[in-house]
Amino acid sequence: MSAIHIVCDYPHSPTKVWRAVTDPALIPLWTATGAGARPEGFATTIGTEFRFIAKPKPGWSGIVDCVVLDVDEPRLLRYSWTDHGGGETTEVTYRIEPQATGTRFTYDHAGFAGTGGFFMAQILGHVRRKMLRVGLPAVLNDLDEAGRLRPGSSPKPGI
């Protein structure tokens, strides 16, 4: 099995990081550095079925079907991830831990099987690293401590 494991430290509070990665209005701002996915029907409630919708690409509809599997706000979010066109179901986990200098955010995406899964993990891993190292920090910098966009801010991650 192949997996994606990314750890990033942000100089922001766990509350702010949680808000940035779970607020449906904020998610597309930091995913813009990747495929630009926006959540449809997302809520941090176990059992919630939702979709990520991105710009379609050759061989991909741009839609991923998900189900929230576990939530421990503001520390943990886990959801399933299945390409809308079918295929294996994998799992994505966000872990948020307070650190002396801010927050450690750990992203895991596990369950990729076989050679195809190995290559998918490589491709998605590259995209996720950019989103978490470029897109998410730009959004976090434009949020106040309560996790709201500051008036007049317009995060523009490097696309």
Side-chain angles (χ1 to χ4, degrees), residues 3-7 95 105-110 121 125 129 132-133:
I4 302 165
H5 177 76
I6 303 166
V7 178
R95 285 186 180 80
F105 180 81
T106 303
Y107 173 95
D108 286 300
H109 192 160
R129 279 179 195 74
L132 297 174
R133 292 180 180 155

Side-chain angles (χ1 to χ4, degrees), residues 7-25:
V7 178
C8 295
D9 291 327
Y10 301 117
H12 303 280
S13 71
T15 301
K16 187 190 258 192
V17 174
W18 176 263
R19 177 76 184 262
V21 300
T22 62
D23 184 322

